[in-house]
Structure formats: structure tokens, C-alpha cells
Amino acid sequence: MRTFFEPRLVNDAFGDPGLYVDFHDERRAVLFDLGDLSALPPRKLIRLTHVFVSHAHMDHFAGFDNLLRVVLGRKERITLFGGPDFIERVEHKLLAYAWNVVHRYEPEFVIDVRELSTGGGGSRACFSSKAKFAREACGSWEPAGDVLHEEARFRVRGRFVDHELPCLAFAIEEKAHMMVARDRLDAMGLATGPWLRELKEAILANAPGDRAITVRWRDREGAHEATRSVDELSPAILDVVAGRRIGYVTDLRYTEDNVRALVQLLDGVDLLFIESVFLDEDRDHAERKNHLTARQAGEIARAVRAGAVVPFHFSPRYQQRPAALAAEVQSAWSGAALSGRPP
Ligand SMILES: [Zn+2]
Ligand SMILES: [Zn+2]
């Protein structure tokens, strides 16, 4: 089935973390993390409208330069989201280059930067090529709870987890939507048209059944118009379909607080991308490095009741045996490891 968005890891499990989420119908994409982006061709970078950065370790942020270089002169705007000090970090990246001619580039390119504080407040600044990327005020940004970005068809939520520094875990969520049954519509002697949007909105808003909807459509014989109630029309609509929800979780310690934050963010996700850096036999080392073991990742996937789990961010020490990491995640997620040694 063709879905509204398609998430794909930017690199293989040993490469830098990053999740590219493509919205086919809208010819655009969003990206989680800015590590090594060399696997993404320019056309894929140009499609990006929003980028969410978990934290500023190099393997998650060093690709900023690469992105900027590709889109400059080809794109008008991009919005970046990050945690504490993010505006300043973007500013420092931009300060590293000489911009004496960039104000003449067409089109103007604006980087709109949104920074989330650990207290939940937001700040915002813009950097325009016309102003040689000097920091400018461009209005405020107030996140609504953990919702960082919201559009008609999807939202992105984020919550901090502890990685010895605050690191953002993300959820991308398609909103509930309705399917139209063309055969039932035909049987009613009606055809699709913009009126379906009004009907869908009425159903989602629990409008009274006798609410009148003006059904208008065009075909070879010209324009048609009919009036029907919401109750008469709703059989033409298949059930409300719950939107797909995806989690992107990387760089964190295994602590009770982190697991709790992730359950709040991700309970019941359909698909979870989660770091699985070390094998559980190296758990002490994982703790020192502020990362998860594969078993801990699988246990988190189980705790958030993920429908499926994709591990990534493998340590190079397992280059010869990635299957061991994947198997450990799957077994903890499915519960098969519960009889093993206690966590
Ligand atoms: Zn990392
Ligand atoms: Zn990190």
C-alpha cells in the first residue's frame, strides 16, 4: 500500500545516524539528524523542508555544511529544530565561512532555526543569505507541549532524553484520515470532488448527522450539484484510518527516566528506529559511553509497544557481526530474552 510518508535510514547501521522521511505526494521530505549526508543525492537534499537535530555531537551535526552547500542558490527556505544552544551552534557554523558575495545569490535562502529548551520553551532566529547570514529576529516560536511542528496531515513531537547532555527523541505522526469508497460513491450516483474534504472534516469534528453538505462535481455532461446530509453521505467513506506513527530514538543512556519519557512520546508506535550501539555483554562499556545495548534497545521497543523495530548506530567493534546486534534487539523486543539474565 502506498503510504503518506516513507522513512528510510540515511546510512547503513554502522554509518552516521539519520532518518530521511519522504512525502511522495508533496514532493518534499523531512530529515532527522545531520550526520554524514553523502549518501543523499542533491535532489533529495533540495526536497527537505524541515530538519530535526537530536543533539550536536559531530556524527549528528557535521552534515550541516554539506546540506548548506547543496541547497544554497537552489532553495528558498529550510527550518531546523534542535535542543539547548542550537541557535548559537548554527550561528557559529555560519560564522566559519566568508559570505562577501552571498547576498547576490538568487533565490534568497533563509534558515529558520527553532531551539527547544529543556523546560519546554522555544526560541527562534533566522539567517538569510541576503544579510550574509547574520542572525536576525523573525518572530517567536512556542511549542505546544511536545509538539514541535504541526501541519494538516502530520505532526512531529519531541522529548528530551539523557545522553549526559539533553538529546531529543522524535515521533513523526500521520494524523487520522478517512478513505473514500469509490464504488459506494458511484452507487449513490455521486462523484468525488472538493466536497469530500468538507464531509471528512464534519465527520472528524463529530458534526450532527443532519448537517447539509453541498455535493458539487464536474464531468463530461457539465457541473452537478446535490444536497445530502452527513448521515446520508458517510457510508461513502470507509472507516477512519489511524495515522502511521514512527519513532526515531538515538543517543541515550538506559535509565528509568529515559524509558518513561520514551513511553510518553512513543507508546504504540508502528515502527521504531532505535540506536543499538553495543552488545549486552559490553553493557558496562555502553554505560560509560552513554549509549544503549541492543538488548536495552529491544526492551525499550517492548516498553513502548512498538509494532516493528529497526536498530542502527552500531559500534564499529561489531563490524564482523552486525547480525548479533540485530538478533539481540529482536529477541528482547519479542520478549524471548526475558528468561535470560536480568537487566
Ligand atoms: Zn551518535
Ligand atoms: Zn551522541
Side-chain angles (χ1 to χ4, degrees):
M1 193 185 76
R2 191 173 167 86
T3 51
F4 176 47
F5 54 66
E6 202 53 61
R8 194 163 295 183
L9 288 171
V10 173
N11 297 302
D12 72 26
F14 290 100
D16 282 359
L19 185 71
Y20 187 91
V21 181
D22 206 335
F23 294 72
H24 321 274
D25 300 342
E26 301 186 348
R27 297 180 167 279
R28 44 83 73 107
V30 305
L31 179 66
F32 295 88
D33 275 338
L34 283 175
D36 176 7
L37 302 181
S38 52
L40 294 174
R43 64 178 170 80
K44 286 201 152 189
L45 294 177
I46 292 165
R47 281 166 86 106
L48 292 173
T49 55
H50 300 79
V51 178
F52 300 83
V53 176
S54 62
H55 65 305
H57 279 155
M58 285 194 83
D59 55 328
H60 301 255
F61 197 41
F64 174 89
D65 292 30
N66 184 239
L67 172 66
L68 179 60
R69 190 167 189 196
V70 168
V71 301
L72 200 54
R74 289 166 161 168
K75 197 171 167 60
E76 293 177 10
R77 192 174 193 91
I78 200 163
T79 306
L80 308 182
F81 295 81
D85 305 322
F86 189 58
I87 291 173
E88 200 181 340
R89 292 189 195 284
V90 171
E91 183 176 33
H92 280 281
K93 285 229 170 233
L94 291 163
L95 281 169
Y97 295 101
W99 298 115
N100 58 310
V101 293
V102 76
H103 59 287
R104 296 201 284 264
Y105 281 32
E106 289 295 341
E108 175 187 12
F109 179 57
V110 176
I111 308 171
D112 183 340
V113 186
R114 317 285 177 101
E115 175 179 313
L116 184 70
S117 75
T118 49
S123 4
R124 181 179 176 196
C126 287
F127 300 86
S128 161
S129 59
K130 282 272 180 276
K132 302 181 181 178
F133 290 123
R135 189 203 285 219
E136 295 174 297
C138 57
S140 60
W141 175 53
E142 275 159 43
D146 63 7
V147 178
L148 307 183
H149 178 69
E150 177 141 34
E151 297 188 19
R153 292 182 68 185
F154 77 99
R155 65 174 77 85
V156 175
R157 295 164 55 225
R159 276 178 187 261
F160 285 107
V161 287
D162 177 33
H163 173 50
E164 203 178 68
L165 51 74
C167 176
L168 281 163
F170 299 105
I172 178 162
E173 304 179 337
E174 181 186 12
K175 295 184 184 175
H177 59 280
M178 281 167 286
M179 303 278 284
V180 176
R182 289 227 175 206
D183 51 339
R184 288 188 232 168
L185 204 57
D186 284 348
M188 295 164 79
L190 303 173
T192 55
W195 63 272
L196 274 167
R197 178 186 288 263
E198 193 188 340
L199 173 63
K200 287 176 178 180
E201 281 168 4
I203 294 173
L204 279 180
N206 284 321
D210 59 0
R211 158 90 66 85
I213 305 274
T214 308
V215 180
R216 290 194 185 91
W217 74 97
R218 270 186 171 281
D219 58 20
R220 254 174 284 160
E221 285 128 52
H224 304 265
E225 185 173 315
T227 303
R228 298 275 192 286
S229 69
V230 166
D231 275 352
E232 287 174 300
L233 292 171
S234 53
I237 299 281
L238 288 178
D239 298 334
V240 175
V241 181
R244 202 153 65 114
R245 297 171 60 230
I246 287 164
Y248 175 78
V249 175
T250 192
D251 288 31
L252 67 156
R253 302 162 142 164
Y254 191 66
T255 65
E256 268 177 44
D257 285 352
N258 279 348
V259 176
R260 198 176 308 119
L262 292 172
V263 169
Q264 285 172 329
L265 180 68
L266 298 169
D267 189 36
V269 281
D270 298 291
L271 176 60
L272 176 65
F273 293 87
I274 187 164
E275 72 151 49
S276 305
V277 183
F278 298 102
L279 281 174
D280 210 54
E281 65 194 33
D282 299 321
R283 194 193 296 171
D284 297 343
H285 184 66
E287 219 164 281
R288 284 194 297 276
K289 295 276 199 174
N290 303 302
H291 278 295
L292 299 180
T293 68
R295 175 174 174 161
Q296 291 166 342
E299 276 160 9
I300 289 172
R302 190 175 174 81
V304 305
R305 303 183 303 142
V309 57
V310 177
F312 67 102
H313 212 345
F314 293 176
S315 161
R317 64 165 64 188
Y318 310 108
Q319 199 71 248
Q320 301 313 317
R321 45 182 189 142
L325 286 156
E328 194 171 283
V329 172
Q330 295 299 326
S331 109
W333 167 62
S334 67
L338 290 181
S339 52
R341 99 183 149 108

